[in-house]
Amino acid sequence: MNSYAQKRGFLATLWDYLTTVDHKKIAILYLVAGGFFFVLGGIEALLIRVQLAVPNNDFMSADMFNQVMTMHGTTMIFLAAMPLLFALMNAVLPLQIGARDVAFPFINALGFWLFLFGGIFLNLSWFLGGAPDAGWTSYASLSLASEGKRIDFYTLGLQISGFGTLMAGINFIVTIINMRTTGMTYMRMPMFTWTTFVACSLILFAFPPLTISIFFLIFDRLFGAQFFNVDMGGNTIIWEHLFWIFGHPEVYILVLPAFGIFSEVISTFSRKRLFGYASMVFATVLIGFLGFMVWAHHMFTTGLGPIANAIFAVATMAIAVPTGIKIFNWLLTMWGGSIKLTTPMLYAVAFIPSFVIGGVTGIMNAASVADYQYHDTYFVVGHFHYVILGGVVFAVLAGLHFYWPKMFGTMLNETLGKITFWLFLIGFHLTFFVQHFLGLMGMPRRTFTFLEGQGLETGNYISSIGSVLMAVASVILVINIIITSVKNKKVGNDPWGDGRTLEWSISSPPPYYNFKQLPLVRSIDAYWHEKMEGRKEMPPAEPLGDIHMPNPSFIPFMISFGLFIAAFGAMYRPDYSWGLPVLIGGLVITFGSMLVRSLKDDLGTYIKKEELDDDKGVKA
Amino acid sequence: MVKEEIQTNNGVNVQYRRKRNKREMRHQLISFLLMIFLTLVAFFVVGYGDFSVWFVIPFILILASVQVGFQLYYFMHMSNKGHEAPALFIYSAVLVAFVTILAFITIIWI
Amino acid sequence: MKRFTRWRLSLLLVIMAFILSGCGEPYLSSLRPAGEVAKKQFHLMLLSTAIMVLVILVVTTLFVIVLIRFRRKDDRIPEQVEGSHKLEVIWTVIPIILILILALPTVKATLALGNMSGMEDEDAVVVNVRASLYWWEFEYPNEGIVTSQELVVPTDEKIFFNLTASDVKHSFWVPALGGTLDTNTDNVNTFWLQIDSDAAEEAGNLFYGKCAELCGPSHALMDSKVRAVSRDEYDRWIKGMKAAKEPQKPETALAKKGEEIFNEKGCISCHAVTSANSTIEAARIGPNLTDFGERAYVVGILQNNKEELKKWLKNPESVKPANKMTGTYEELTEEELDALAEYLLSLKVTE
Amino acid sequence: MQIQEKMTFETWPAVPEKETLEGRNKFLGFWLFLGGETVLFATLFATYLALKDKVPGPDHPLAQDLYSMPLVFVMTMLLLTSSLTSVYAIYHMKNFNFKKMRFWFIITVLLGLGFLGCEIYEFNHYVHDYNHTFSSSAFGSAFYTLVGFHGAHVIFGLCWITALVVRNWRRGLSLYNAPKFYVASLYWHFIDVVWVFIFSVVYLMGMVG
Ligand code: HEA
Ligand code: HEA
Ligand code: CUA
Ligand SMILES: [Cu+2]
């Protein structure tokens, strides 16, 4: 009886999450899925490091290594880092601008399910004949030569999840432009909102080139096109350009929201407003703009010619300037502040030197002639793990600890959090610092082994040890999360005590309508401003009234599921007769669901004013 | 939501609006005729004119751009107010598009 | 003041050069540049590293001061500073200057290395590099000869390269001599290298090259070698190669038997034992073996001796996974292996 | 509920598509989507330009051999006119005249179908009379992908407008569906914008060489 009730409870919750359009629940979905993929990508990273711990290792075959390496990069970038950032955006962005919801709750859910189905599709390759093996960049000549279905998993999986990302991006831009509460002018928006805004604009312009280049590859491999077939007049460099026109902005799509999170954390725990807010905004926009002008720095050795190389080298170096502005603004925010080293703040603080090291090696890469020596070596691997871990992963970890109470109403354990931090920090530097030197000493990247007696043993061994430390740190984080969830000690609105922005002015977790009355914003750092004036709550911008809420819907799941099915059809169509019907069937599910969506009026529901008045009627 | 009350219009307003819509429609018609004209010119230059390639290609590209301007500003109402954000994003897109195409006709060799 | 900074900068450069050049092996490491190109690149690496170390030092210093001085001691609310135009200008301008210091030499060096003048000269040393899964072919168009795996070039001269790939993209990289350049399937890329004779001597006249672009399972093992010799020795080698227009006559009986096996088993259909470049590229399926006996390595990674060669011939897959030779010929007996090895090792063009 | 309220011309707002928050969101979101589409088509154009006339052998047709002026001209006129008719439809939408709006949208769809018919004829012609197919050369792939992507947009636009018209055939205009009609017409105009570049860059420039 009891277990039956429990089971029903579980199914009801499951259904709730499958159909939810609430940004706070979607945040949790992103967090769980992104966290899962991070662990998966992390395990793949560990396998890489085990294989490379000693020379001539036969832990993995060469073929297996290429799959693991490719899937590590692809998983981490597309399925771990971006979704984890989307989780944080969904969790706090509407709260930060004082909105009850995002602009397109339905599309928000759709974005998540597309990402998840794309990710699952990609990873099913492990069980269906092998994973993609041409690197996360999947350069065209190799990806055309790759046999079996491996690359098709890559193209179709990324295509599906790419659509999801694009939708999530548009949703956030519109949310930020249209859904801000009264008084929340552009120049009062919290920094995380600003960076999300710019990052999502980059998504909007960077993902279409990826979509198209992936289409080309799909067409070439599955439908007989000749885009990259040199014998038929094709050109493989087109892939390189399109991939990097996407790929370079992509790294700023990752790092800009990270910058936003650090801005929030640093100013909160320094108890100071962000130094040089206006120039921070300016720098963010400038980074976004320059991000589109520099992609060919990944192609210095492709043979574009000295003129093109020189132009792109100088353009790339220019990015040091706005990024530097940000670094110094953060330092000056802390200068004269009252710094409290909580776990999120530790990550934010450690980020500064770590990211600067990664950033300056980026500038070293930008010196085209020197890059001829770095390109496709472990120097580059060192560079980008420094910026990605020191920037993005630290930000996700900082944001996770920082916003955990807002998302779940309970605080992660600080002691365990600090242990995680120190282990991760040490492991991270140990792993990746030596890699720069390995590269300079002649170790190419994407190599499944290295030979004895070429001076590469020590460095690789150290690097492998470091990665174990990171793994231990991650395990402790998981333990921390479990312990915290079991204890589930509830906290109030502003558990850190120093909250500055609107999200800290409402309960943790917030009610599903977020704000009973939309708040009136009278200053930058609105909540801090009211606290300093002695108020406990935000002044309302509207009288108490009915609240309009969207209906939950199962259609996002169905649309995504249809594409998932269609992808199998497309992939097996050349080999099996059932491929085509499955492809069509999948598309029918997708477009049919879209048709249902557009023909069935969905007017949402209203929470009545009376229900709000009487707090009992409204469950959080 | 914040601003959902409907403005009711009194009789004067309605008359005014009808007129204004009509005027706008006339503009649309004129821009349509211009677009047709530009198209004809482009086809003519290619089909019957005897011009050098170095003139024809830039010329028809300019004609196309002007015509697209008409589409955007009149047919798609970008000339109306409340289109700041669309304009910002469309122009950014055009910039990215331009850089992409420029790269593809200069540094993709074969 | 300015002199002082410059002095400090060059001191830093010297110290760094000293530390870095302790790293790696002279035949492999880009930190032990052995020629003009690698040196140009190394100088730029040093300059950029110096600037970067400077940046890191400044940031870290500020960082440490902040963390020491401004930790929370009481519950006071610090002043909410909005910003400072003066500071913002400073930290915009200084990075711009630093970037310019780096950008100018970068542009200059890029153009200099892109300068291919001299390649058309009749007596220029020109090499066509063709990369295939997982081996390298080196053709000398001016001499009309082909060799594989080990490139032989004279020191102290500019060597011009045309690079291309025959199946998938690879990248030709000899770190100690200069940075990488991709071998594309679409086009021919060009660059040049130059090798100092004393550096060559230090490296034992043999530089190690790597494939720097993921190209399949054995990408890690797609090594090439550059044998840098004096002009005299180079000429001698060229002469020997040019003379090898006919298959060499094996001397011992075992080698003779090896030759027969080589022809019967179909090895000859992929491997030429003459140096002329008269067959079309597509028909040169495997490495040219004309001077195989003089190579230091088998397939770029195994010491070239009887033992290792037999290992390769017996089961290429165990040496280079997914290579294109595996399974293209019937299994060889121990005697056949012996004979083949004897024969192959006897293939030499210089005495 | 305000959004479904029965309207009259008097109560119908001047900018009906942006009257509700949902409408404003849809409006902006759609423009952003068009920004993304701009880049999407730009990459297709760029690829087309890079691969134009890239064929494996001399027996393959080139741009100059393929394109014919009259057909492209007819297609252009059909699509341009359909753009005008959808402007008419929106004009009547603003004047709260559902029947006329419906009429002009139907005309738009018919013109669009005409365009599509021409395109199908054209592709068929190239494939059967010239052996210029999706797989015959990189040029073929790039051509069919660019023009075909546009064609797919036309098909989607036709389905979309048709679905909207049929669904609201009896219901008339409301603040709920006004943004939908508006956005659909934006989409249709965008299709036309892309076509302007296609006929200029692909066909006209292809004919001059
Ligand atoms: C979050 C991700 C991220 C970030 C933020 C960056 C930031 C930068 N990256 Fe990086 N990069 C990657 C992720 C990232 N990169 C990845 C994943 C790859 C490899 C892809 C692959 O091949 O698989 C790569 C590869 C890569 C290359 C190609 C290397 C090669 O393959 O040969 C280059 C070349 O120019 C480059 C440059 C830069 C530059 C100039 C920055 C700049 O934005 C950095 C700017 C920051 C600073 C400079 C520090 C702070 C500034 C100051 C303190 C001011 C003073 C400083 C100076 C005056 C110098 N990156
Ligand atoms: C967001 C991006 C991201 C992140 C976070 C990481 C994280 C890590 N990466 Fe990754 N990496 C890339 C993006 C990223 N990487 C990309 C794009 C490439 C290029 C791929 C290509 O060339 O195509 C690459 C390539 C790459 C290489 C080079 C491979 C090669 O060229 O051959 C290496 C080698 O050391 C490496 C190592 C690591 C390590 C040790 C971590 C560590 O930080 C990982 C730490 C995390 C964990 C260790 C999680 C562990 C969790 C657990 C252990 C939980 C266990 C629980 C249970 C078992 C229940 N990475
Ligand atoms: Cu060839 Cu890697
Ligand atoms: Cu980049």
Side-chain angles (χ1 to χ4, degrees):
Chain A
M1 176 70 211
N2 202 358
S3 79
Y4 175 73
Q6 246 175 7
K7 208 163 167 190
R8 244 189 68 93
F10 172 73
L11 283 181
T13 317
L14 184 67
W15 182 248
D16 188 24
Y17 274 93
L18 287 177
T19 59
T20 186
V21 292
D22 179 356
H23 67 91
K24 296 177 289 301
K25 287 194 178 139
I26 293 175
I28 294 174
L29 288 173
Y30 267 120
L31 188 65
V32 172
F36 169 75
F37 284 122
F38 180 75
V39 170
L40 202 61
I43 292 173
E44 282 153 2
L46 288 178
L47 296 178
I48 294 177
R49 284 317 327 164
V50 171
Q51 167 71 13
L52 293 176
V54 291
N56 287 323
N57 201 355
D58 59 358
F59 173 72
M60 262 193 275
S61 72
D63 181 45
M64 191 61 177
F65 180 89
N66 283 354
Q67 300 174 46
V68 170
M69 174 271 295
T70 301
M71 286 300 280
H72 162 67
T74 314
T75 305
M76 280 298 196
I77 299 266
F78 292 100
L79 307 180
M82 285 219 289
L84 287 170
L85 290 170
F86 278 142
L88 293 169
M89 291 177 193
N90 265 305
V92 292
L93 191 131
L95 308 181
Q96 280 200 326
I97 58 173
R100 291 227 169 79
D101 209 332
V102 293
F104 304 111
F106 178 89
I107 288 193
N108 201 11
L110 180 57
F112 169 77
W113 291 110
L114 284 170
F115 140 68
L116 186 65
F117 275 110
I120 292 174
F121 186 83
L122 184 58
N123 276 286
L124 283 179
S125 61
W126 288 116
F127 310 105
L128 297 170
D133 56 359
W136 83 287
T137 52
S138 209
Y139 272 16
S141 59
L142 182 61
S143 55
L144 281 190
S146 171
E147 278 158 23
K149 296 292 168 200
R150 300 173 166 189
I151 302 298
D152 303 319
F153 279 105
Y154 172 94
T155 52
L156 294 162
L158 285 192
Q159 195 69 301
I160 296 174
S161 76
F163 289 144
T165 308
L166 194 56
M167 290 183 189
I170 292 182
N171 175 34
F172 281 120
I173 303 177
V174 179
T175 304
I176 293 171
I177 295 181
N178 275 0
M179 308 285 285
R180 283 165 294 132
T181 187
T182 319
M184 178 60 79
T185 60
Y186 282 110
M187 290 313 272
R188 282 183 191 162
M189 291 194 316
M191 209 53 217
F192 181 52
T193 303
W194 256 114
T195 53
T196 301
F197 181 70
V198 176
C200 288
S201 311
L202 295 186
I203 289 180
L204 179 62
F205 299 134
F207 269 72
L210 178 71
T211 306
I212 288 300
S213 56
I214 290 184
F215 265 133
F216 290 166
L217 198 50
I218 294 177
F219 291 168
D220 264 19
R221 284 183 58 96
L222 298 174
F223 296 92
Q226 314 287 1
F227 288 102
F228 306 124
N229 185 348
V230 177
D231 296 334
M232 298 295 275
N235 184 326
T236 58
I237 310 304
I238 288 177
W239 169 272
E240 293 183 26
H241 277 291
L242 289 181
F243 186 86
W244 289 118
I245 288 175
F246 148 76
H248 186 79
E250 167 69 15
V251 307
Y252 295 120
I253 292 169
L254 291 176
V255 91
L256 286 178
F259 287 170
I261 293 170
F262 290 129
S263 301
E264 306 291 328
V265 171
I266 288 177
S267 78
T268 301
F269 294 109
S270 304
R271 286 195 172 165
K272 260 185 80 197
R273 66 174 284 176
L274 199 58
F275 192 88
Y277 173 84
S279 65
M280 287 295 244
V281 171
F282 173 73
T284 308
V285 176
L286 194 62
I287 292 175
F289 175 80
L290 288 174
F292 275 101
M293 310 293 153
V294 301
W295 76 87
H297 65 217
H298 296 274
M299 301 167 65
F300 282 147
T301 66
T302 298
L304 302 177
I307 310 277
N309 280 1
I311 293 173
F312 279 100
V314 176
T316 305
M317 291 179 191
I319 297 188
V321 177
T323 319
I325 293 178
K326 286 184 152 268
I327 296 280
F328 292 113
N329 274 325
W330 286 314
L331 284 173
L332 263 284
T333 304
M334 293 195 278
W335 189 281
S338 165
I339 300 172
K340 186 172 175 197
L341 290 180
T342 56
T343 308
M345 187 63 172
L346 280 175
Y347 283 109
V349 164
F351 147 77
I352 291 179
S354 306
F355 182 82
V356 167
I357 295 175
V360 295
T361 52
I363 303 296
M364 292 171 72
N365 283 334
S368 48
V369 163
D371 183 68
Y372 302 164
Q373 286 284 21
Y374 310 140
H375 179 69
D376 266 330
T377 70
Y378 263 82
F379 188 87
V380 174
V381 177
H383 154 67
F384 69 75
H385 282 92
Y386 256 84
V387 274
I388 288 183
L389 277 119
V392 185
V393 174
F394 277 17
V396 167
L397 292 174
L400 199 67
H401 287 87
F402 190 47
Y403 290 119
W404 193 270
K406 193 46 65 186
M407 291 177 78
F408 299 101
T410 169
M411 288 275 243
L412 287 173
N413 182 305
E414 279 286 289
T415 317
L416 286 178
K418 284 176 183 163
I419 295 174
T420 306
F421 165 78
W422 283 109
L423 282 176
F424 206 93
L425 182 76
I426 296 169
F428 153 60
H429 283 278
L430 214 53
T431 308
F432 297 111
F433 193 73
V434 286
Q435 291 191 350
H436 296 107
F437 294 92
L438 285 174
L440 296 174
M441 281 150 57
M443 177 153 171
R445 62 190 280 207
R446 295 167 168 174
T447 46
F448 80 98
T449 191
F450 55 98
L451 301 177
E452 233 164 317
Q454 301 192 350
L456 306 172
E457 288 91 342
T458 324
N460 275 301
Y461 194 65
I462 296 177
S463 180
S464 294
I465 292 181
S467 65
V468 174
L469 288 187
M470 278 190 282
V472 175
S474 311
V475 172
I476 295 181
L477 177 65
V478 174
I479 294 175
N480 190 356
I481 290 174
I482 295 171
I483 293 181
T484 306
S485 310
V486 172
K487 274 200 193 145
N488 202 10
K489 213 167 118 233
K490 289 294 172 199
V491 294
N493 290 5
D494 185 9
W496 297 105
D498 291 327
R500 305 179 71 83
T501 37
L502 289 179
E503 69 268 30
W504 305 110
S505 70
I506 51 178
S507 63
S508 315
Y512 64 100
Y513 48 83
N514 294 357
F515 297 92
K516 204 192 265 184
Q517 289 164 290
L518 292 182
L520 175 67
V521 171
R522 299 195 287 187
S523 152
I524 190 170
D525 292 337
Y527 183 50
W528 177 265
H529 176 79
E530 302 301 336
K531 278 198 288 191
M532 288 300 113
E533 309 250 291
R535 269 180 290 272
K536 288 244 148 34
E537 282 183 358
M538 294 300 299
E542 55 170 14
L544 200 59
D546 293 355
I547 295 178
H548 181 232
M549 295 303 289
N551 286 327
S553 170
F554 191 54
I555 294 177
F557 185 94
M558 288 308 288
I559 294 179
S560 316
F561 180 67
L563 284 182
F564 180 74
I565 299 291
F568 277 107
M571 190 164 68
Y572 288 113
R573 189 195 56 89
D575 314 312
Y576 301 99
S577 58
W578 50 262
L580 192 63
V582 170
L583 170 61
I584 294 172
L587 291 179
V588 167
I589 298 181
T590 296
F591 285 104
S593 311
M594 280 163 69
L595 196 70
V596 172
R597 165 70 183 170
S598 79
L599 295 189
K600 218 179 88 208
D601 288 355
D602 181 7
L603 299 169
T605 52
Y606 279 83
I607 310 171
K608 287 271 170 302
K609 190 167 139 187
E610 299 72 48
E611 286 176 66
L612 288 170
D613 265 339
D614 149 33
D615 261 351
K616 261 180 286 164
V618 186
K619 290 169 284 157
Chain B
M1 316 233 79
V2 198
K3 185 168 155 285
E4 228 170 64
E5 66 270 67
I6 291 154
Q7 312 145 356
T8 42
N9 304 283
N10 55 33
V12 183
N13 244 337
V14 169
Q15 288 308 327
Y16 170 71
R17 259 178 50 204
R18 272 232 162 89
K19 245 212 223 98
R20 204 192 52 201
N21 285 352
K22 213 175 208 133
R23 200 170 57 231
E24 199 180 330
M25 197 57 229
R26 196 147 48 241
H27 283 303
Q28 316 264 38
L29 204 60
I30 294 170
S31 43
F32 175 71
L33 292 176
L34 280 172
M35 279 154 60
I36 297 285
F37 174 71
L38 294 176
T39 309
L40 287 173
V41 172
F43 274 86
F44 179 80
V45 167
V46 173
Y48 303 98
D50 185 20
F51 304 103
S52 100
V53 179
W54 293 109
F55 166 75
V56 173
I57 289 182
F59 185 66
I60 57 179
L61 286 180
I62 290 171
L63 292 185
S65 310
V66 173
Q67 186 168 342
V68 163
F70 279 125
Q71 284 272 0
L72 286 172
Y73 276 90
Y74 293 102
F75 282 18
M76 296 167 83
H77 310 284
M78 245 168 72
S79 58
N80 294 8
K81 63 174 188 297
H83 284 70
E84 296 77 16
L88 173 70
F89 279 90
I90 289 293
Y91 282 119
S92 310
V94 167
L95 186 72
V96 175
F98 177 75
V99 174
T100 305
I101 293 174
L102 188 68
F104 273 54
I105 54 186
T106 50
I107 53 179
I108 296 238
W109 26 249
I110 209 153
Chain C
M1 172 65 201
K2 206 163 170 198
R3 274 249 292 294
F4 181 61
T5 27
R6 186 172 305 162
W7 179 80
R8 266 199 312 199
L9 195 67
S10 37
L11 183 70
L12 192 63
L13 282 180
V14 171
I15 294 176
M16 263 174 10
F18 193 71
I19 299 174
L20 288 179
S21 56
C23 285
E25 306 293 341
Y27 49 80
L28 179 63
S29 174
S30 65
L31 300 174
R32 315 278 292 264
E36 192 183 338
V37 173
K39 277 187 180 148
K40 274 203 165 71
Q41 291 164 343
F42 186 61
H43 284 149
L44 209 55
M45 285 156 67
L46 283 184
L47 175 68
S48 58
T49 312
I51 297 176
M52 299 316 150
V53 169
L54 188 79
V55 170
I56 293 174
L57 282 181
V58 171
V59 171
T60 316
T61 312
L62 270 170
F63 176 79
V64 171
I65 297 177
V66 163
L67 279 192
I68 292 176
R69 272 186 56 191
F70 300 106
R71 295 284 286 278
R72 187 169 299 179
K73 301 175 193 84
D74 45 34
D75 224 20
R76 128 201 110 84
I77 301 294
E79 192 195 344
Q80 304 290 307
V81 191
E82 193 174 326
S84 154
H85 281 297
K86 205 163 95 203
L87 284 175
E88 280 164 28
V89 169
I90 292 177
W91 64 57
T92 309
V93 170
I94 293 183
I96 291 180
I97 296 172
L98 290 177
I99 289 302
L100 284 178
I101 295 178
L102 182 60
L104 291 178
T106 300
V107 172
K108 226 175 93 191
T110 309
L111 299 180
L113 294 194
N115 178 358
M116 298 299 295
S117 63
M119 188 170 184
E120 307 302 322
D121 295 356
E122 223 145 276
D123 55 350
V125 183
V126 179
V127 180
N128 297 345
V129 178
R130 187 166 66 99
S132 311
L133 294 164
Y134 303 94
W135 60 282
W136 300 89
E137 179 181 271
F138 303 107
E139 176 184 350
Y140 297 70
N142 295 350
E143 321 291 347
I145 58 172
V146 183
T147 185
S148 299
Q149 310 288 31
E150 283 185 25
L151 172 66
V152 182
V153 285
T155 50
D156 299 321
E157 279 179 52
K158 258 191 177 185
I159 309 144
F160 298 95
F161 291 86
N162 295 307
L163 304 112
T164 187
S166 52
D167 32 43
V168 302
K169 183 176 172 121
H170 307 264
S171 194
F172 183 62
W173 185 39
V174 190
L177 304 184
T180 179
L181 187 62
D182 293 356
T183 60
N184 294 312
T185 50
D186 315 72
N187 74 319
V188 176
N189 275 339
T190 55
F191 79 154
W192 59 275
L193 294 174
Q194 190 264 85
I195 308 166
D196 294 345
S197 45
D198 38 349
E201 205 167 313
E202 192 194 345
N205 289 55
L206 197 66
F207 293 96
Y208 288 34
K210 304 261 177 186
C211 173
E213 189 67 56
L214 178 62
C215 50
S218 277
H219 158 65
L221 303 173
M222 187 169 161
D223 288 12
S224 60
K225 298 285 175 299
V226 176
R227 185 138 46 97
V229 295
S230 67
R231 183 77 209 190
D232 284 351
E233 208 171 318
Y234 172 73
D235 285 339
R236 223 170 323 133
W237 180 79
I238 290 284
K239 206 168 126 228
M241 281 298 273
K242 277 185 166 167
K245 296 274 146 117
E246 291 297 320
Q248 296 157 53
K249 295 272 162 305
E251 276 153 23
T252 64
L254 191 59
K256 225 182 196 84
K257 189 160 155 252
E259 186 187 22
E260 276 161 26
I261 299 169
F262 190 82
N263 293 339
E264 277 160 23
K265 290 273 177 180
C267 315
I268 192 83
S269 63
C270 298
H271 295 286
V273 285
T274 57
S275 65
N277 63 348
S278 45
T279 33
I280 57 160
E281 274 184 9
R284 304 184 214 144
I285 305 169
N288 186 304
L289 299 177
T290 312
D291 66 339
F292 180 79
E294 281 162 352
R295 290 187 197 153
Y297 288 85
V298 189
V299 291
I301 51 176
L302 300 175
Q303 290 291 338
N304 193 3
N305 55 39
K306 208 159 185 175
E307 236 18 54
E308 300 283 52
L309 176 58
K310 275 165 67 183
K311 184 170 149 199
W312 164 253
L313 296 177
K314 189 159 192 243
N315 185 359
E317 196 64 16
S318 70
V319 177
K320 271 195 179 181
N323 76 81
K324 298 293 168 195
M325 178 160 139
T326 303
T328 57
Y329 53 93
E330 292 159 45
E331 212 158 308
L332 301 165
T333 62
E334 196 60 28
E335 295 89 74
E336 287 172 324
L337 285 172
D338 273 330
L340 272 174
E342 176 83 10
Y343 167 63
L344 290 171
L345 287 172
S346 75
L347 296 174
K348 292 184 179 167
V349 295
T350 50
E351 291 320 312
Chain D
M1 239 136 271
Q2 296 134 328
I3 207 166
Q4 291 156 299
E5 201 174 339
K6 264 277 168 257
M7 297 292 228
T8 65
F9 180 68
E10 278 67 35
T11 57
W12 189 243
V15 192
E17 73 274 9
K18 289 207 273 183
E19 189 56 31
T20 60
L21 180 63
E22 283 76 11
R24 284 194 294 280
N25 285 345
K26 195 166 266 170
F27 170 84
L28 182 61
F30 199 78
W31 270 104
L32 296 180
F33 170 72
L34 291 184
E37 290 257 274
T38 305
V39 178
L40 189 123
F41 274 104
T43 54
L44 287 170
F45 273 107
T47 308
Y48 172 80
L49 288 172
L51 293 179
K52 179 178 167 225
D53 290 348
K54 296 289 186 292
V55 292
D59 50 337
H60 289 254
L62 302 181
Q64 250 167 332
D65 311 325
L66 289 170
Y67 307 144
S68 95
M69 187 88 99
L71 183 67
V72 180
F73 186 73
V74 171
M75 287 164 79
T76 305
M77 285 306 146
L78 284 172
L79 211 58
L80 275 183
T81 314
S82 80
S83 203
L84 180 74
T85 55
S86 76
V87 169
Y88 269 114
I90 292 304
Y91 167 66
H92 291 299
M93 191 269 271
K94 297 221 162 171
N95 280 342
F96 198 64
N97 190 335
F98 180 70
K99 289 231 169 70
K100 283 200 176 143
M101 178 188 90
R102 199 171 67 188
F103 172 75
W104 285 112
F105 267 133
I106 293 172
I107 300 292
T108 307
V109 168
L110 292 177
L111 288 168
L113 282 173
F115 172 87
L116 210 58
C118 291
E119 187 147 88
I120 291 169
Y121 165 78
E122 186 202 2
F123 283 8
N124 196 40
H125 174 61
Y126 292 163
V127 170
H128 288 107
D129 302 343
Y130 287 96
N131 252 330
H132 177 65
T133 69
F134 190 56
S135 307
S136 65
S137 65
F139 171 45
S141 305
F143 170 79
Y144 286 107
T145 307
L146 169 59
V147 182
F149 251 78
H150 176 264
H153 276 67
V154 172
I155 295 174
F156 189 82
L158 290 178
C159 295
W160 185 7
I161 296 178
T162 312
L164 274 179
V165 169
V166 171
R167 172 73 175 98
N168 295 296
W169 192 269
R170 294 249 165 75
R171 301 202 304 176
L173 272 170
S174 69
L175 286 181
Y176 181 70
N177 60 26
K180 295 189 175 196
F181 282 114
Y182 186 86
V183 161
S185 92
L186 277 186
Y187 187 72
W188 195 255
H189 291 307
F190 183 77
I191 290 173
D192 204 24
V193 166
V194 174
W195 181 256
V196 169
F197 281 112
I198 290 188
F199 87 68
S200 301
V201 172
V202 176
Y203 292 101
L204 293 184
M205 269 166 64
M207 282 183 245
V208 294

